[in-house]
DNA sequence: CTGAAAGCGCTAACAC
DNA sequence: GTGTTAGCGCTTTCAG
């Protein structure tokens, strides 16, 4: 590894001269600067980031903790975070909690002592269920900033980026009501998550406010390990009169559509379906699924902005909660 | 941040005593060890990894460069790499090249000077097209080990983990031949990639060896930005006699199945389809897609093993190429 | 059993 | 315009 010292020796100058020269200090003669830079380039010198970070107590890297990278929403969020961070001159260290409390604790602990300047994270399912957030509080107390996105908690006071989940489901439900649907069911396999609860509440609220809607709300909660397909088949068997479906997780809307078509429901004539999905599933459906689009890229971008802001304005200003509007995208599975 | 120095001051001992005590050195009295550890725990001391790494010239972190995190194959590979690395006591820094040469160069440069002990990477599309691999050679020359997985190059001599792409496609094609198919087409949107070429070759070879197969090979190469759906619709229109499809990328098999069913092909009676997909798409298809399964978890795991091996046996043994067998999973879209 | 000192690679205040 | 020095937090050799 080429170091400042090597360059200094080769050039018969001191290490500090080399360092200054490489930073274009005006303490150094143009001539020397040029010689230093030439040799640095020739030897392909790259500063050791570890040493720089140690010296500066600043790493220019962000720790990102993702609950489940196989979930397309999070993959896309990571994509956006990485992109924006890079643009702003930050690197990222990614940890995958795999929805486990223990891994989340571990990652936070491991990185919080100097390895990263701050965190962007979404809370693991296990953590949300237990609602034990002391590990996050602990990091915050050490003045390492954290931005929470999507899966957040009211127990924690910090910067957050959230989606207006309640409103998104509320609007979706209202849309189906406006189509004159009389039996609207909500399907969820994210029952335990904060976002799942909010979406479900939005659905309930819309139905409660509805005039002329006589059916009881019906929520199908699919267990994490359960088969979405089997549950949905059962749903159609038990409730043949269904004419509207809101699917609040990433995939069950697509599955519901396939099953419905298989059972010869006419979509959207007899039955409307709205999913909480990204465009990536559209190529797999016909008619194209109407969805609630989560603007995932914006979520990631906003998270990075919030964190870097906090990092740079050391000012202990009050925390910010940024809400990214979800958007109802009507396509082929709604009237 | 709590440092060794803090602990030392509080306890009226030297920094080196503290350091040794925390490492259970037998130079230190059991009594002191206990006192040190107690205080360390009380103050929630965590060693500064930057300092440790700088001192040891060893970071225990692996740089992972992923071409496209929105591709499920790579998301799963990352998942596996992270998991295995963690198990072995390594952290990962993830960089996303987004298929771009420049980003790949950048990530490699940035991390190669001390930030990571080695790399696990799959080559960006742009890099594979240009076939300019000097940046990778350069890192290798600095004795920073690299493991290449999936998208590799023969120009580079280093440890590699590959899938037997040729053989997988060869077998798949032979299976369709054994069903008596007479018009087998190959669909690809990864024409430019090493793996795409290998799979296509396997298809060609199988057809060449086949007796009683009279049709010409037919390869539909979908441009990166092209619409898979439109291309496949066109395929069915232009070649109604098709009775076998091999789709060599992650998604086009699913799309082909949907379009075929829509056009009232009987699958698998009139038409067999084999995709190169993971189980994650199965819930979207009926009948279930027959696939070539890539054992992505094994690919990730093997990559980590190879790298750590290289890291620990500094011995300059010859490089290793590990082939992970792909597996033909016959389900509902083949006879 | 404990401590002093050097050094990993870098930056920056302070000489000269 | 250039060099000396100290120090970031840690480990480790060597003295005591």
């Amino acid at each position: 590894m080429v170091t400042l010292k090597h360059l200094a020796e080769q050039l018969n100058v001191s290490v500090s001269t080399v360092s200054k020269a490489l930073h274009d200090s005006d303490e150094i003669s143009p001539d020397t600067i040029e010689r230093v830079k030439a040799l640095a380039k020739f030897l392909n010198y790259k500063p050791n980031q570890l040493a720089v970070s140690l010296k500066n107590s600043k790493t220019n890297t962000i720790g990102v903790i993702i609950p489940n990278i196989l979930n397309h929403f999070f993959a896309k969020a990571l994509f956006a975070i990485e992109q924006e961070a890079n643009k702003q001159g930050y690197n990222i260290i990614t940890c995958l909690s795999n929805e486990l409390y223990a891994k989340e604790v571990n990652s936070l602990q491991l990185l919080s002592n100097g390895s990263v300047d701050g965190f962007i994270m979404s809370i693991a399912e296990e953590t949300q269920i237990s609602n034990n957030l002391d590990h996050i509080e602990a990091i915050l107390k050490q003045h390492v900033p954290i931005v929470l996105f999507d899966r957040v908690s009211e127990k924690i006071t910090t910067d957050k980026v959230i989606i207006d989940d309640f409103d998104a489901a509320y609007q979706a439900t209202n849309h189906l009501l406006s189509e004159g649907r009389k039996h609207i069911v909500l399907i969820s396999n994210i029952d335990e998550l904060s976002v799942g609860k909010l979406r479900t509440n939005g659905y309930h609220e819309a139905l409660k406010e509805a005039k002329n809607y006589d059916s009881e709300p019906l929520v199908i909660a699919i267990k994490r390990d359960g088969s979405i397909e089997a549950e949905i088949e059962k749903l159609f068997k038990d409730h043949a009169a269904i004419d509207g479906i809101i699917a609040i997780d990433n995939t069950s809307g697509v599955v519901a559509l396939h099953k419905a078509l298989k059972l010869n429901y006419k979509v959207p004539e007899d039955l409307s379906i709205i999913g909480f999905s990204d465009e990536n599933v559209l190529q797999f459906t016909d008619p194209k699924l109407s969805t609630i689009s989560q603007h995932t890229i914006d979520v990631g971008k906003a998270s990075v902005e919030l964190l870097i802001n906090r990092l740079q304005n050391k000012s202990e200003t009050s925390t910010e909660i940024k809400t990214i509007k979800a958007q109802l995208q009507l396509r082929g599975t709604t009237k």
Side-chain angles (χ1 to χ4, degrees), chain A residues 124-138:
Chain A
E125 182 176 26
E126 207 179 77
T127 307
Q128 284 216 322
I129 292 175
S130 77
N131 203 24
N132 177 358
L133 304 162
D134 297 348
H135 55 307
I136 299 180
E137 291 284 16

Side-chain angles (χ1 to χ4, degrees), chain A residues 270-285:
Chain A
D270 305 344
L271 170 66
S272 281
I273 303 179
I274 297 179
F276 241 94
S277 291
D278 196 11
E279 303 81 32
N280 70 312
V281 301
L282 293 184
Q283 58 184 343
F284 300 150
T285 74

Side-chain angles (χ1 to χ4, degrees), chain A residues 186-191 196 200 219-223 248-249 252:
Chain A
L186 179 140
I187 303 178
S188 161
N189 71 359
I190 52 170
D191 213 32
T200 306
V219 173
I220 305 292
I222 299 168
K223 295 157 295 299
I248 65 168
D249 61 85
S252 52

Side-chain angles (χ1 to χ4, degrees), chain A residues 64-78:
Chain A
V64 182
I65 304 181
I66 298 286
N68 175 8
I69 192 62
L70 301 179
N71 177 326
H72 186 264
F73 170 78
F74 286 117
K76 197 158 180 184
L78 177 61

Side-chain angles (χ1 to χ4, degrees), chain A residues 118-169:
Chain A
F119 290 96
I120 294 175
M121 67 180 289
S122 195
I123 301 179
E125 182 176 26
E126 207 179 77
T127 307
Q128 284 216 322
I129 292 175
S130 77
N131 203 24
N132 177 358
L133 304 162
D134 297 348
H135 55 307
I136 299 180
E137 291 284 16
I139 303 299
L140 250 17
K141 209 163 289 170
Q142 297 171 216
H143 302 103
V144 177
I146 300 178
V147 172
L148 255 27
F149 76 93
D150 193 51
R151 279 144 58 161
V152 305
S153 166
E154 299 195 343
K155 279 173 72 181
I156 306 269
T157 304
T158 190
D159 295 321
K160 297 170 193 171
V161 178
I162 55 178
I163 292 165
D164 54 344
D165 292 289
F166 177 94
D167 193 57

Side-chain angles (χ1 to χ4, degrees), chain A residues 294-313:
Chain A
Q294 299 171 85
H295 295 193
T296 315
I297 298 292
D298 294 335
V299 171
K301 201 162 165 234
S303 304
V304 174
E305 283 166 354
L306 239 42
L307 184 65
I308 292 184
N309 231 313
R310 176 78 40 191
L311 250 21
Q312 286 169 355
N313 312 335

Side-chain angles (χ1 to χ4, degrees), chain A residues 180-185 213 215 241-245 271:
Chain A
R181 299 305 180 182
K182 295 297 178 200
H183 298 277
I184 302 171
V185 52
Y213 187 80
S215 314
I242 288 171
D243 57 8
I245 293 179
L271 170 66

